[in-house]
Amino acid sequence: MVTGHGRIEHIVRVWLPVAFFLVLALFPFYWMAITSIKPNAELYNKNVMPLIVRAPTLKHYVDLLTKSSFLLWTWNTMLVAAVATAISLVLGVMLAYPLARMRFAGAGLIAMTVAAIYLVPQPLLFIPLADVINRLGLGNTLTSVILTYPTMLVPFCAWLLLGYFKTVPKELEEAARIDGASRLQTMRQVFLPLCTPGFISAGIFAFTLSQNEFLYALIFLTKTTVRTVPVGVISELIRGDVFYWGQLMAGALLGSIPVALIYSFFVEHYVAGLTTGSVKG
Amino acid sequence: MTVVSERLPALGQAARRRAPLSLVLDRESVFSWLMMALPLLFLAALVGYPFFYGILLSLQYRPVAHTGTFIGLKNFITNLHDPIFWQVTANTFIYTGVATFLKMVGGLCLALAMNQHFRMKNLVRALLLLPFIVPTVLSTVAWLWMLDPAFSVVNRLLVALGWPKPGPSWLGNPTLAMVSIIIINTWRGLPFYGITLLAGLQTVPPELYEAATIDGASGLQRLRFVTLPLLRPIILIVTLFSVIFTFADFQLVYVLTHGGPQNATNLFATYAFDIAMGAGQLGLGASIALAMLPALALLIVALTIYMRRV
């Protein structure tokens, strides 16, 4: 039984530090949410207590959805993230499977190269890449980002899947080989169906990374109709006049919700992926 | 078939001489290289080529929409005589160093706090990860509003606690602007550290703590002599990751300060962006971005070798 003294000690030792970190982590989101439902009269009045809302309103959301291209940006973001993730998973498997299962000259070198490419940050490449995209005539098309996001996602998926593939026992594949299946058949029909959890965590990471991407989208997408949410919000919702914060916070909150939802369903996979030790921080 | 030929190399050699296509394709090396060809080509075209093209660009005078002229190392020499370039260099190292240190210490505290028994632990862990999950640009915009010169909620709370009005000018004062971007980078990266270290803590065998306690070790000594040595590999990997992507950070600074005031928060990435995209000097911009390369290459090689060993 927990005594009264023990309970107080439990609160001080456990909940005090945890609560501190929780408030720190969540306050900006609370502030985002509360700003988005405050009428302007409250938002820009310095004499009312700012932490609560008195007369909640959905006006900022209505304005955001009717007066800006937010819905279009959301569609663009989802489309780009989904296609880029699919491409990256397929190409990632094509790299990871041989590296995990086959013995061939140069395997070590390829594995090192993939790991190194995964660690190359975008700011090192964006200037030449911008010129390449221009010369290909892909400026202001979603293709430009669908093509460039996998440059960071393929090495990432390959590296994550490589780790996962090595944990899958080899016996089933060996049995299939003895039964006369080709390597391709063994991989596609025996091995890959065993790896669904690996694909889910790699897919979630790739999808959230795509939604998070800003630099390439900022440079390649300069027209309203092709923008993604982060670029649209930064470039078009921050305006010259002062009173735009309600709409901006509504946009930031709505833009965060898809990622937060996906991740809340798959949080176990996410944490498992994090702890296999290979995520950009 | 193949299994037999693998066990009896001499027999396999004989079979290979007149092997049909399907058998050739089934060789480990042929299968592997065919499988990897497409992704490797893709990476060569969109990472390898731009990388070397960037080096070429840095050796050119290349205004946007014009053809380039080769000028050798002139761009790099221009940078060496540019006081802003040196300020940017100092900024980047300060930003990376301080933010990494804060994330490491804070992350360890978070991991230790979470490594206790309490209810709703999984929910708490999920909530704590939110800053790391949500698109950086969108959470940074919330911070921009929280530090707004006129309506900053942070300042209103500080004033309510007795701070003289109107409170600090977070993004207007050069020093405070640097403090602000460091705090926000830490806020975003800390959960990554915390949750990764927590996973490491959970693999420490309880017997070690018991043994240490029997030997008379205090709580602090157990941390110092049992926990930290065992966590070292994880701390090293997380730190190298974090350093690489903090060193090359762009979006946080772009949204919050655009590098200002007076370049006080300009980093390599944002300065290269200004010169290349703002001023249209692709060659000079590329040379600034490449200034990151020596430090990055060192870190990347170190981390790649380390990850291979683990």
Side-chain angles (χ1 to χ4, degrees):
Chain A
M1 290 268 21
V2 181
T3 62
H5 177 70
R7 188 173 296 158
I8 290 170
E9 200 201 316
H10 183 75
I11 289 173
V12 171
R13 278 194 42 190
V14 177
W15 281 107
L16 214 61
V18 169
F20 168 78
F21 282 112
L22 270 178
V23 170
L24 193 72
L26 298 182
F27 184 78
F29 300 111
Y30 172 72
W31 194 237
M32 225 188 239
I34 206 164
T35 302
S36 71
I37 53 169
K38 272 187 193 175
N40 279 347
E42 266 182 60
L43 270 183
Y44 305 109
N45 181 346
K46 288 191 186 181
N47 297 320
V48 296
M49 223 289 276
L51 292 179
I52 50 165
V53 50
R54 284 172 183 73
T57 168
L58 288 176
K59 184 177 180 305
H60 300 305
Y61 287 92
V62 174
D63 286 353
L64 177 74
L65 299 179
T66 55
K67 291 181 187 163
S68 82
S69 310
F70 189 82
L71 283 176
L72 183 62
W73 301 335
T74 307
W75 164 250
N76 290 343
T77 310
M78 293 297 156
L79 183 72
V80 167
V83 178
T85 301
I87 294 176
S88 308
L89 278 177
V90 173
L91 293 182
V93 168
M94 292 167 82
L95 270 179
Y97 184 72
L99 290 177
R101 284 295 198 257
M102 305 288 143
R103 276 170 306 158
F104 57 96
L109 185 71
I110 297 287
M112 291 272 263
T113 312
V114 170
I117 292 179
Y118 161 45
L119 296 172
V120 171
Q122 295 142 291
L124 201 61
L125 295 177
F126 75 97
I127 296 168
L129 213 48
D131 202 48
V132 170
I133 292 293
N134 268 338
R135 276 189 287 156
L136 291 173
L138 291 174
N140 280 320
T141 64
L142 290 181
T143 316
S144 65
V145 284
I146 288 177
L147 219 64
T148 45
Y149 286 3
T151 57
M152 45 178 190
L153 300 179
V154 169
F156 169 73
C157 287
W159 194 249
L160 208 88
L161 290 174
L162 182 60
Y164 186 82
F165 287 177
K166 283 182 175 164
T167 65
V168 177
K170 288 179 184 161
E171 283 76 17
L172 278 171
E173 287 158 89
E174 283 163 1
R177 292 288 291 159
I178 291 169
D179 288 347
S182 73
R183 291 202 188 276
L184 190 64
Q185 284 169 328
T186 310
M187 173 187 155
R188 283 179 39 191
Q189 290 163 20
V190 179
F191 179 74
L192 293 184
L194 295 174
C195 300
T196 317
F199 295 138
I200 292 177
S201 36
I204 299 168
F205 275 124
F207 195 75
T208 49
L209 282 175
S210 304
Q211 297 209 326
N212 209 332
E213 207 289 327
F214 180 65
L215 182 55
Y216 290 167
L218 178 72
I219 295 168
F220 303 153
L221 309 173
T222 51
K223 272 197 214 140
T224 301
T225 49
V226 289
R227 280 187 159 139
T228 57
V229 171
V231 181
V233 166
I234 295 303
S235 312
E236 294 185 38
L237 294 188
I238 297 184
R239 295 186 310 260
D241 63 296
V242 187
F243 303 110
Y244 53 78
W245 285 105
Q247 207 179 327
L248 192 58
M249 288 302 109
L253 195 68
L254 285 187
S256 306
I257 284 174
V259 185
L261 272 183
I262 296 167
Y263 140 86
S264 67
F265 283 122
F266 296 106
V267 69
E268 287 307 317
H269 283 283
Y270 197 97
V271 174
L274 261 184
T275 51
T276 47
S278 34
V279 177
K280 299 189 180 188
Chain B
M1 265 299 279
T2 344
V3 173
V4 172
S5 69
E6 269 169 16
R7 286 208 187 125
L8 302 168
L11 214 129
Q13 292 273 310
R16 239 173 247 173
R17 238 170 262 143
R18 50 199 157 75
L21 184 64
S22 64
L23 272 188
V24 173
L25 290 181
D26 244 25
R27 279 185 204 156
E28 277 186 280
S29 60
V30 177
F31 172 82
S32 300
W33 285 107
L34 280 178
M35 188 55 90
M36 297 188 308
L38 186 64
L40 288 181
L41 260 170
F42 174 82
L43 292 177
L46 286 173
V47 180
Y49 172 72
F51 179 73
F52 291 106
Y53 182 54
I55 294 177
L56 183 71
L57 268 182
S58 73
L59 303 174
Q60 288 181 345
Y61 172 70
R62 173 77 158 76
V64 76
H66 288 72
T67 47
T69 345
F70 184 82
I71 54 165
L73 293 174
K74 255 195 181 148
N75 286 328
F76 292 94
I77 294 166
T78 310
N79 290 335
L80 294 183
H81 293 290
D82 173 11
I84 299 178
F85 177 81
W86 288 109
Q87 193 183 355
V88 163
T89 309
N91 289 344
T92 309
F93 278 91
I94 292 171
Y95 177 65
T96 310
V98 179
T100 305
F101 176 76
L102 289 178
K103 278 183 274 192
M104 200 190 299
V105 174
L108 191 62
C109 292
L110 172 62
L112 290 172
M114 286 292 291
N115 196 28
Q116 309 183 81
H117 295 287
F118 57 93
R119 266 183 290 170
M120 297 185 294
K121 195 166 164 176
N122 284 343
L123 177 70
V124 170
R125 191 175 61 176
L127 289 175
L128 285 176
L129 264 173
L130 270 179
F132 184 66
I133 303 297
V134 164
T136 314
V137 164
L138 301 181
S139 56
T140 306
V141 113
W143 279 97
L144 187 65
W145 168 225
M146 282 164 58
L147 302 178
D148 184 80
F151 298 100
S152 163
V153 63
V154 175
N155 281 4
R156 292 176 71 178
L157 293 177
L158 284 178
V159 168
L161 292 172
W163 194 290
K165 275 187 176 183
S169 165
W170 292 103
L171 303 176
N173 171 300
T175 313
L176 284 180
M178 180 56 94
V179 170
S180 301
I181 62 170
I182 288 174
I183 290 177
I184 297 166
N185 179 280
T186 305
W187 173 81
R188 194 192 115 74
L190 201 136
F192 170 67
Y193 264 87
I195 302 300
T196 316
L197 292 184
L198 175 63
L201 279 181
Q202 285 164 347
T203 63
V204 177
E207 300 85 49
L208 286 182
Y209 289 122
E210 284 159 23
T213 313
I214 291 168
D215 289 346
S218 69
L220 212 61
Q221 282 172 324
R222 286 199 298 265
L223 177 70
R224 165 87 176 71
F225 295 108
V226 180
T227 315
L228 288 182
L230 285 167
L231 282 184
R232 234 184 53 200
I234 285 200
I235 293 180
L236 196 72
I237 287 196
V238 181
T239 305
L240 280 172
F241 263 107
S242 171
V243 166
I244 289 174
F245 293 100
T246 310
F247 190 77
D249 200 1
F250 172 82
Q251 22 186 328
L252 201 153
V253 172
Y254 179 84
V255 172
L256 215 60
T257 61
H258 273 271
Q262 297 112 45
N263 295 307
T265 56
N266 227 349
L267 307 180
F268 280 127
T270 45
Y271 191 46
F273 179 89
D274 279 348
I275 299 292
M277 302 297 145
Q281 294 294 339
L282 294 186
L284 192 59
S287 74
I288 295 166
L290 275 179
M292 287 190 283
L293 190 61
L296 278 181
L298 214 66
L299 290 165
I300 290 174
V301 168
L303 187 50
T304 316
I305 291 172
Y306 195 78
M307 288 202 303
R308 288 281 298 168
R309 262 210 346 232
V310 174

